[in-house]
C-alpha cells in the first residue's frame, strides 16, 4: 500500500513512530524502516501485532468504508473482515490484506462484514519496501 509519511519520530518511551496519511485517514504507527527515512510517499506492508478478541478490541463498524484514525492511546482501523476456511482472519484495508491473530474464532456472522479494530499504535507496524 502506498502511504504518505508526514514525519518520523523517536521518543524515549516508544518505538520509532511514523505519522502517516492515507486516502482513508491518518494516524501514528510503528515504523520498521530506516528511522531517518525522508517524508513522502512510501510503499508499506502492514502488520498488526496484537491478538484480536471479538467484543474487546474488535467490533462491528458504524460505516462500510476503510478508515484509519487516532483514538486516545490506540489507533482505530476499519476494514472488511474475511475469514478463511481454516479459520484464519484477514482484514481487507482498502485492498490490502492484513493477517490477524485471533484469540478465539470470531462469530460466524461477522465474516465478510465491516469491523473496527482498536489497536495500540505500537502494535501496528509498517514495513517499507521498494518496487
Amino acid at each position: 500500500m502506498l502511504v504518505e509519511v508526514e514525519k518520523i519520530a523517536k521518543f524515549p518511551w516508544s518505538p520509532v513512530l511514523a505519522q502517516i496519511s492515507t486516502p482513508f485517514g491518518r494516524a501514528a504507527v510503528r515504523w520498521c524502516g530506516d528511522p531517518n527515512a525522508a517524508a513522502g510517499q512510501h510503499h508499506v506492508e502492514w502488520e498488526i501485532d496484537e491478538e484480536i478478541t471479538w467484543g474487546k478490541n474488535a467490533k462491528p463498524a458504524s460505516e462500510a468504508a476503510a478508515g484509519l484514525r487516532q483514538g486516545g492511546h490506540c489507533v482505530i482501523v476499519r476494514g472488511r473482515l474475511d475469514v478463511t476456511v481454516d479459520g484464519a482472519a484477514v482484514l481487507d484495508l482498502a485492498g490490502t490484506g492484513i493477517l490477524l491473530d485471533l484469540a478465539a474464532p470470531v462469530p460466524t456472522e461477522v465474516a465478510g462484514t465491516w469491523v473496527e479494530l482498536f489497536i495500540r499504535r505500537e502494535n501496528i507496524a509498517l514495513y517499507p519496501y521498494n518496487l
Side-chain angles (χ1 to χ4, degrees), residues 67-87:
L68 180 70
R69 68 184 191 277
Q70 292 294 142
H73 294 293
C74 71
V75 173
I76 302 167
V77 182
R78 186 175 54 242
R80 185 182 299 271
L81 182 66
D82 294 317
V83 180
T84 66
V85 292
D86 61 352

Side-chain angles (χ1 to χ4, degrees), residues 67-129:
L68 180 70
R69 68 184 191 277
Q70 292 294 142
H73 294 293
C74 71
V75 173
I76 302 167
V77 182
R78 186 175 54 242
R80 185 182 299 271
L81 182 66
D82 294 317
V83 180
T84 66
V85 292
D86 61 352
V90 177
L91 184 72
D92 180 341
L93 181 62
T96 295
I98 305 170
L99 187 61
L100 302 176
D101 290 326
L102 298 177
V106 296
T108 55
E109 66 272 9
V110 173
T113 66
W114 290 90
V115 299
E116 288 184 332
L117 304 180
F118 299 80
I119 309 296
R120 290 189 317 269
R121 66 181 179 188
E122 295 84 5
N123 291 344
I124 300 177
L126 296 184
Y127 291 88
Y129 62 88

Side-chain angles (χ1 to χ4, degrees), residues 7-25:
K7 66 180 176 181
I8 296 174
K10 171 70 175 121
F11 302 100
W13 61 89
S14 74
V16 176
L17 297 175
Q19 177 67 44
I20 63 160
S21 177
T22 70
F24 49 88

